[in-house]
Structure formats: structure tokens, C-alpha cells
Amino acid sequence: MSSTLAGWLQALALAGALALCYRPLGDYIAHLLTSARHLRVEKGLYKVVGVDGDADQRWPVYLRSVLAFSALSILFLYGLIRLQTHLLLSLGIPEMAPHQAWNTAVSFTTNTNWQSYSGESAMGHLVQMAGLAVQNFVSAAVGIAVVAALIRGFTRNRTDRVGNFWVDLTRIVLRLLLPLSIVFALVLVANGVIQNFHGFHDLATLGGDTQSIPGGPVASQEVIKELGTNGGGFFNANSAHPFENPNGFTNWLEIFLLLVISFSLPRTFGKMVGDHRQGYAIVAVMALFWVASAALITFSEHQHAGTAMQAAGGAMEGKEQRFGIAASSLFAASTTLTSTGAVNSFHDSYSAFGGGITIFNMMLGEIAPGGTGSGLYGMLILAIVAVFVAGLMVGRTPEYLGKKLGGREMKFASLYILTTPALVLIGTGVAMALPGERAGMLNSGAHGFSEVLYAFTSASNNNGSAFAGITVNTPWYDTALGLCMVFGRFLPMVFVLALAGSLAQQQPVPASAGTLPTHKPLFVGLLSGVVLIVVGLTYFPALALGPIAEGLH
């Protein structure tokens, strides 16, 4: 069987598995977000924290809870990293520099998982488990909690309440992420992913040299790394490392895990608003972009321009022989269309257009299907813009799911859309204007520009992957990229929750003959067009200077 055929079969099996999970998992998430019943362990946690589990919050209170929890998470993780030499299971690894510790703490708290360090040589086991893995759970839960509040904005009327953040956070971790992680961690261990507390073992190589082989609790972190669209690898090679991703099946399973929750959340949306057709329309747009991206990257990497690529059957530089081009391209498309950032190949070694598509995927806002929660609320913001555009065309006040979209709602949506491009383009421009930061590029010309553009796109969209041919472990880059992660994560949440509060206060408007049906193929096409136009007009000049110029050259 050729690697191309194997890749397409993997993609078909993946699509089938995601389709099978769409309804049961989406319905289950809707149930846990709407149930009035609290588990005994949840009641105990509420009592410890001092939270009334039956009291809903106004959107400003919900927002303050999100920000306060995230700020405390950053401080706790920063302290843990800086003090790791004094902790158990530190393996004798020295503490991080302050600027790198700041970058890492922000990275994992914002669900970015950008790594300017090598995991096996910079982090002890306790920090990996009690610090990084814990943030993998709670940062993913925060994203789902925020989209739950937005959905309640559509379903509730004449109220200023959008839910209880602490209840949402607790339920998502205990009832969704933790059980799935336990099950799939066992599957990963059974298929060769390591799970131990070993330090470094010196082994003799076939060449007669000595190599230090690290161990660690990898499987337990690997599963939530993918399931929560986090992406931070236990090892520097991430999912290209055989201890994290031993074979073709684990590679397929990891792609499935990083997609399954985000692709199921549109069903949750349809269930909570009382119209499953709305969920089908949203997931159709997500699936359309995912399939197109995977196909285009695979096609780009199979072009045989040059003797070496003809001999290898495609652009194999930077790719694992175990996976080949098709499985690597599928992973690259999936990880950049979500906020995962995990990699099983070296994106910097992709062809100009193949690498350009990975950048473009993140510039879309990672909405196909996007991060856990963040992908759906990003798509819903674009759906609101699409409905507004349609309303302008026919000359009537736009409505979405019975809620009028006036000036207040459109301001929140517009600010959401403008935030990330501003961070990406300003950050890239400043970096390219500073000679010392340009010196960090491994390559010159268009590809070197693409490395910088990728870094700021990844940080601002909370992805975490990189064109790794750039030196970013400097005080300037650690600080600048850290700020992009913070603002790229929490400013959009401010606008999403403000929009949720504005929608919840409205009285629903009954549908009329002039109401745009938002569950039909026409709306799917309109929404897809809005996504492409918004991204194209915003980022085309930057893409033209980077991957497009390199590819045409």
C-alpha cells in the first residue's frame, strides 16, 4: 500500500470516527452544561472555594472570574517553574531565566503551549505534572466555559445572567476532560507511549557512543495535550518523538483527540439553542475548511521539484519516515486549524505553499474546528458578521437565532475580529524593524520573514507551533510573544462575554418572511465567504511578503 493511499484511508477513518462521536459527545457536553444536579465532589469543591453552585453570574462577574483564575494560574505556574530546583523530581535541572519562565507560564495558561525550551532538559517531572499538565486541563476548560456563556446569551431572555464560571469550569474538568483523559491515556500506554518516573539513562549506541535517554510521565500529559488542544510536548521533538507518538495508530489517535471535542461542540450549540440544524451548518463550514486545508497541504508537499524530492516521492525533509507526507500533512492541517500546536513534523521544512497554508490556517482564527471552545465562539462571531452582511444586502435589521444584531453587538464582534490581526501585524512589524530581532532568523529573505510572521501568528492565536528556524529564547521575544498570548487570549474573551450579556438581555424576535435562514446551504456558503474575505483582506499583504513570494520565486 502506498503512503498516499494509507494517508487517505487514515483521513476517511478519522472523518468517520469524528462523525460517530458528534452526536453523543455533543449531547453529553450540552447535558453537563445545563444540568441542575451537582455531583457530591463538586459540592465539596464549591464549599471549599466559597462558591454558590446554584447562583448564576452577570457577564462582568463571569469575566472577572475568568481573569482572576487565569492570573492566579500564571503566578502559580511561574513560581513553580522558578523554584523547580528545590522541588521533588527536579532531575537536577536548573531553574529557568525569569523571562523564559514568564513566557512559559503565560503560554500554558492561555492554552498556547508555545515552548522556547526543550521539555526533557528544562523541566523536571513535578513541574511537568503539577504545573504544565494541570494547566492543560483548566485552560481547555476555560475556553469551553466561555463559549457556554455565549450560547446562553442566545438562549436566555431579559436577564443579565450568563451562567456560573466556577460551576462550568469544575464540571468540564471533572465530567469531561478527566474521564476521557484517563481512558485514552491507557490506550496510549498500551500502544507504546511511556509512563514512568525515570530520570536519564545513559545507554551505549551502535556507534559506540553514549546517549542519555529521558523517561517521564508522558502518556498522562500527551492525552490532555491533544484532547484540550494544548500542544506542549513533554519532549522537544513533540509528537515526532517515539516516546510520545510511537506508531501510525497513535499518530491517528492523537489527531482524533485534538479534533473530537471541537468538532462535537457545534452539536452542543444546536442542542442548547433548540435547533440541531444550526449546529449542522456550523460544523459543515468547519469540515469544509479542514478538508480543503489537509488536501492542499498534502498536494503541496507531494510536488516533485528537485532531484531529492523526486527520489523521496515528495518533500520529506523534516518529516518522520514512520508517518510519511500524507499523515504528516493531515496532522499539520489539524494542529494549525485548532489551537493545538502539537507537531509530528517540522513546519519550517515544508514547501513554501505548504508552510504558507499552516500560517493561513491560524490566521483564519483557528475556527475549523478551532480550540476547545475558542473555535466555536470564533465561528459564532463570524456567523454574526455574516448575518449582518446579509442584513445590509436586503436592507433590514439582522437577526440571528431570534436576537437582533444592533450597533452594540456589532461593535463587540468587530473588536473581536480586529484584536488578533493587530497583535500579529504590529508584532511582526516591530520585530522586523529591530536589527537584533531580525538576527534571530535562521533564514534570510521571504522565508526568514515567514518565520517571524509564523511566530507572532502562532502566539496571538494561541496555537503554539512554530517555524522553528528562529531564535526566540531572548528577553525581547519571550516578553513580546508572551504579551501577544495574553492579549490574544483574554481580549477576545472580554468581547465574547460582553456580547453574551448583551444578547441575554434582549427579548427574542419571532422569525418572519425576511429572516435569513441560518441552517441552509446558502448560509454555509455565505459564512465561508465571510471567513475567507475577512482573512484575505487583513493578511494578504503579509502573506505576499512571506510564503507567497517564496513560492513564486
Side-chain angles (χ1 to χ4, degrees), residues 307-507:
T307 305
M309 283 192 280
Q310 289 177 4
M316 279 299 294
E317 179 189 340
K319 297 181 179 65
E320 271 288 319
Q321 185 67 37
R322 293 176 296 150
F323 306 134
I325 288 176
S328 299
S329 299
L330 182 62
F331 201 115
S334 301
T335 197
T336 51
L337 280 169
T338 61
S339 66
T340 311
V343 293
N344 73 346
S345 55
F346 197 51
H347 291 185
D348 199 24
S349 294
Y350 275 50
S351 65
F353 290 123
I357 294 168
T358 63
I359 301 176
F360 184 76
N361 287 345
M362 294 183 289
M363 289 175 171
L364 286 173
E366 297 173 329
I367 53 171
T372 50
S374 61
L376 179 57
Y377 66 63
M379 183 64 83
L380 291 177
I381 292 290
L382 288 166
I384 287 171
V385 174
V387 172
F388 180 75
V389 170
L392 292 178
M393 291 179 178
V394 299
R396 59 171 287 135
T397 303
E399 303 162 9
Y400 188 42
L401 301 178
K403 298 298 178 75
K404 285 188 175 293
L405 304 177
R408 178 181 174 84
E409 289 76 23
M410 293 314 302
K411 287 175 184 176
F412 291 138
S414 300
L415 288 169
Y416 177 97
I417 291 172
L418 291 171
T419 297
T420 304
L423 294 171
V424 172
L425 299 177
I426 293 173
T428 302
V430 172
M432 294 302 296
L434 299 176
E437 311 318 321
R438 288 202 307 272
M441 300 186 307
L442 179 65
N443 298 278
S444 59
H447 192 79
F449 176 79
S450 295
E451 291 173 350
V452 178
L453 179 63
Y454 195 113
F456 280 95
T457 303
S458 178
S460 302
N461 286 281
N462 303 128
N463 183 271
S465 62
F467 267 16
I470 180 174
T471 302
V472 292
N473 185 22
T474 64
W476 190 88
Y477 266 118
D478 277 335
T479 303
L481 293 174
L483 290 173
C484 285
M485 294 175 208
V486 170
F487 291 131
R489 174 71 165 178
F490 297 115
L491 278 180
M493 286 185 175
V494 172
F495 305 131
V496 168
L497 290 173
L499 177 62
S502 180
L503 293 172
Q505 290 176 344
Q506 293 187 27
Q507 179 70 24

Side-chain angles (χ1 to χ4, degrees), residues 118-206:
S118 298
E120 63 267 46
S121 60
M123 294 289 184
H125 292 344
L126 185 63
V127 175
Q128 293 267 25
M129 292 185 297
L132 307 187
V134 168
Q135 288 306 314
N136 285 350
F137 279 95
V138 295
S139 64
V142 167
I144 299 175
V146 171
V147 79
L150 178 59
I151 297 172
R152 293 186 188 111
F154 286 108
T155 61
R156 296 184 177 184
N157 308 313
R158 291 191 171 276
T159 180
D160 58 355
R161 310 288 165 162
V162 294
N164 188 313
F165 169 72
W166 305 106
V167 172
D168 291 338
L169 178 74
T170 304
R171 289 184 175 186
I172 292 163
V173 171
L174 294 184
R175 300 194 198 183
L176 177 67
L177 298 177
L178 196 57
L180 289 177
S181 295
I182 292 172
V183 171
F184 285 107
L186 294 174
V187 175
L188 289 178
V189 170
N191 284 275
V193 179
I194 67 171
Q195 180 76 14
N196 56 54
F197 292 104
H198 297 168
F200 291 89
H201 289 279
D202 293 332
L203 301 176
T205 66
L206 295 176

